[in-house]
Amino acid sequence: MGKTRKMVLILLTLVMISSFAGCAGGSGGKGSRKSITVYNWGDYIDESVTKDFEKKYGIHVTYETFATNEDMYVKLKAGGIHYDVIFPSDYMVARLIREGMLQKIDLKKIPNYKYIGEEYKDLAYDPDNEYSVPYMWGTVGILYNTTMVKEPVDSWDILWDRKYKKNIFMLDSQRDSIAVALKKLGYSLNTRDKMELKAARKELIRQKPLVLSYLGDEVKDKMISGEAAMAVVWSGDAVYTMKENPHLAYAVPKEGTNLWYDAMCIPKSSKNRKEAEAFINYMNDPDIALRNTEYIGYSTPNTGAFEKLDEETKSDATAYPDNQSLKDSEVFEDLSDIISTYNRIWDEIKAAQ
Amino acid sequence: MKQRWMAYPYIVWMILFIVVPLALVVFYSVTVQSGAGIRFTMENFRRCLDPIYIKVLIRSVVLALISTGVCLLLGYPVAWILSGKEYSKKKILYLLIVLPMWMNFLLRTYSWMTLLERNGVINFLLTRLHLPPLHILYTDGAVVLGMVYNFLPFMILPIYSVLSKLDGSMIEAAQDLGGDAFTVFRRIILPLSLPGVVSGITMVFMPAVTTFVISRLLGGGQFMLIGNLIEQQFLSSGDWGFGSALSVIMMLLILLSMGIMQRHEQESEGGVLW
């Protein structure tokens, strides 16, 4: 009796330990079936596309999402899960390249790369197009409700107007919010100047009593239901919300803004490069890219998909602004060497009362 | 001998999920990773003493204390009603208190957002009744409301379990000796129920002081509590050292408050509930 119980308990202990060990190793393919893990922004794809990809190629897709570039970076760096395709933005692509965390992509394996427009190639974050394939692009601007904002919106200054106290949503993303203040003050959003950053911090703390909330993806629902007069949003979200609520309008301030590109990359830790390249290629098929851009509202760099868009969308200045309105806009550069200054500023803004 | 064998799976469990993680947190808090390797330092703790972080800490404690106080004021009478013999719908009331806890915590907190919104359900009803609308979402008030709503059962249940075991003859004796209702409550019932009150306070204060979900959702990301600060260090900033140092301070704070509570419990010589 005593012996049996002993055995049972030892067994139980072993089972416990081995099951934990099992958790650690289980992210790869099960059996012979190929599988990839895709790590994308939340709400940033027509999810039926991944289902169709699975059907067509027989590759299982595990789909995970993140809310900001920084969240994605920390999780990738921690290395618990081997992601095969990730969707970082410009400055994060540059940082990942610099830190040796990306594999080179063989463009010969991505025949649909030919559809990428010339203006989206050879960009500063990946000058030789070795590591990334553009997915979407856009701007940051002010989404406003025309029933609550009667004056023209053309400057970041309006976000500091006392009239709109507790009627403003800001982005809960440190680089984007600090960039708004830098641009308002007429500085570059890639500044390394301590005094300029300090001034931006002061502006944002001064603005805080006017801000109703710092939001992520929820901002779309809140603006559609008319919770606030204005919100700082990414252009694609503006396209989506304006479709849902006709009183909403979008403006890119005259001081210039952040022009951004999100790209698809393959992390170094990926063991399924062939499948990852197949996925990236599939995403650049004009019909698939069209489905994605129509579903999420963001602007596609895929000329094949662009041609298939209806005329109204093609001429929509929110999604496809002309060069004139973007002349003072900048693309984020990698500032990870002074990231602790940024973290510190953001902490102070969030903690301020 | 037999009993010791029984404990082995539990010891493995403890080592894996309590001792190892704790050791890791302490290790991260006293080290800095640089290009050259790992270096021991007190830098992370020194940074915690910065006024802006102290302010965050104080704010968390104050909000948690307010919610604990409100929970106590609301919870004690409810527990009293529950334990009373005269109330016939006791079972239903008990179920109503426990039932919401079967639903997901995040979901319940999220639904408060919809209720409290400017154009939300509550304001819709208020304006229909020609009352002024409430602007409470994304304020301290909403965070306290969320805490009280989520943690109230943890106050009611321990007090209820102590009150329902009260020796009725003591109360009768006090009444026989001429004590009026208030005296009986003050001299007999309250002292005897103190262990439940103390458990309740600990069980509400601890989750309240560490929460980050409630303050994130209902506070709108602008009222940073210590939980949010720790979360940000781990998930966004990637500064595990500083995050761990904050966690260690947090744990010390909780240990301290538990110590004070424990002492109280011994003084009032009541049974410990958990």
Side-chain angles (χ1 to χ4, degrees), chain A residues 31 88 115 174 211 233 250 287 313 335:
Chain A
Y115 292 112
Q174 64 184 48
V211 175
V233 297
Y250 178 78
D287 287 319
T313 313
L335 295 178

Side-chain angles (χ1 to χ4, degrees), chain A residues 5-6 13 20 70-71 74 166-167 208 211-214 222 225-227 344 346-348 350 353, chain B residues 2 5 12 16-17 50 52-53 59 113 117-119 138 220-222 224 232 234-237:
Chain A
R5 188 176 288 172
K6 232 184 245 182
T13 315
F20 298 141
E70 286 70 25
D71 293 357
V74 169
K166 291 284 166 206
N167 238 334
K208 205 175 166 189
V211 175
L212 182 59
S213 174
Y214 297 84
K222 300 270 173 195
S225 66
E227 284 297 308
R344 169 88 195 187
W346 192 235
D347 278 355
E348 286 176 349
K350 286 292 210 78
Q353 289 174 35
Chain B
K2 230 176 351 184
W5 276 104
V12 173
L16 269 177
F17 290 110
D50 192 293
I52 68 161
Y53 302 123
R59 183 186 188 90
M113 270 169 78
E117 272 177 353
R118 275 188 192 163
N119 305 319
Y138 306 131
Q222 53 190 323
M224 197 192 246
Q232 188 175 318
F234 280 96
L235 297 185
S236 299
S237 309

Side-chain angles (χ1 to χ4, degrees), chain A residues 32-307:
Chain A
S32 61
R33 197 163 170 216
K34 287 283 183 190
S35 135
I36 56 170
T37 308
V38 176
Y39 198 27
N40 192 1
W41 295 77
D43 220 357
Y44 208 36
I45 196 172
D46 178 347
E47 293 211 23
S48 65
V49 162
T50 58
K51 294 271 173 312
D52 291 349
F53 172 78
E54 287 182 329
K55 250 183 257 155
K56 192 167 171 192
Y57 290 84
I59 299 169
H60 176 74
V61 177
T62 309
Y63 190 74
E64 287 187 32
T65 61
F66 57 86
T68 68
N69 277 303
E70 286 70 25
D71 293 357
M72 187 271 305
Y73 173 82
V74 169
K75 207 161 167 204
L76 188 67
K77 189 98 183 168
I81 304 169
H82 297 301
Y83 293 108
D84 298 303
V85 181
I86 55 172
F87 289 67
S89 307
D90 34 54
Y91 71 98
M92 194 49 80
V93 175
R95 180 174 185 184
L96 293 172
I97 293 174
R98 195 171 55 79
E99 298 185 8
M101 289 169 71
L102 296 181
Q103 299 189 20
K104 284 192 180 172
I105 296 174
D106 185 357
L107 291 182
K108 281 194 224 77
K109 303 271 170 54
I110 315 220
N112 287 335
Y113 190 73
K114 64 171 186 271
Y115 292 112
I116 300 290
E118 286 308 313
E119 62 268 49
Y120 311 108
K121 292 179 181 169
D122 314 323
L123 292 162
Y125 62 87
D126 183 12
D128 300 318
N129 310 307
E130 289 176 307
Y131 296 94
S132 64
V133 175
Y135 176 59
M136 293 285 163
W137 67 281
T139 55
V140 174
I142 301 172
L143 179 70
Y144 60 100
N145 191 318
T146 48
T147 61
M148 298 182 226
V149 183
K150 299 291 180 200
E151 60 198 301
V153 177
D154 65 347
S155 160
W156 293 116
D157 287 333
I158 197 164
L159 296 172
W160 273 260
D161 189 333
R162 304 216 134 263
K163 248 192 316 209
Y164 303 106
K165 187 165 194 247
K166 291 284 166 206
N167 238 334
I168 297 168
F169 287 131
M170 290 292 283
L171 276 171
D172 192 5
S173 166
Q174 64 184 48
R175 273 210 78 172
D176 292 293
S177 283
I178 294 172
V180 167
L182 286 169
K183 275 290 173 195
K184 171 184 187 286
L185 295 167
Y187 301 138
S188 161
L189 48 72
N190 290 312
T191 185
R192 288 162 188 276
D193 184 317
K194 288 261 156 67
M195 292 315 291
E196 292 182 2
L197 284 169
K198 235 183 197 157
R201 183 194 72 129
K202 213 173 135 203
E203 278 304 288
L204 287 170
I205 291 178
R206 191 163 72 82
Q207 184 210 20
K208 205 175 166 189
L210 312 182
V211 175
L212 182 59
S213 174
Y214 297 84
L215 294 179
D217 273 332
E218 315 97 285
V219 73
K220 290 186 260 181
D221 293 335
K222 300 270 173 195
M223 286 307 286
I224 291 169
S225 66
E227 284 297 308
M230 276 180 285
V232 175
V233 297
W234 289 293
S235 50
D237 289 349
V239 172
Y240 169 79
T241 48
M242 282 153 68
K243 255 186 239 161
E244 302 287 318
N245 182 343
H247 297 302
L248 295 177
Y250 178 78
V252 172
K254 58 177 189 284
E255 295 94 339
T257 186
N258 169 223
L259 178 63
W260 54 262
Y261 304 91
D262 288 342
M264 291 178 276
C265 301
I266 306 178
K268 206 150 235 170
S269 53
S270 163
K271 294 188 178 67
N272 305 304
R273 179 164 162 181
K274 224 174 77 198
E275 289 74 21
E277 284 171 342
F279 182 81
I280 294 176
N281 188 49
Y282 186 72
M283 295 290 274
N284 276 302
D285 181 287
D287 287 319
I288 300 301
L290 179 72
R291 270 164 70 188
N292 280 330
T293 186
E294 284 189 332
Y295 183 84
I296 62 178
Y298 279 83
S299 324
T300 181
N302 188 304
T303 51
F306 183 77
E307 287 312 318

Side-chain angles (χ1 to χ4, degrees), chain B residues 17-27 248 251:
Chain B
F17 290 110
I18 300 175
V19 179
V20 173
L22 261 181
L24 275 176
V25 168
V26 173
F27 175 77
V248 169
M251 282 190 276

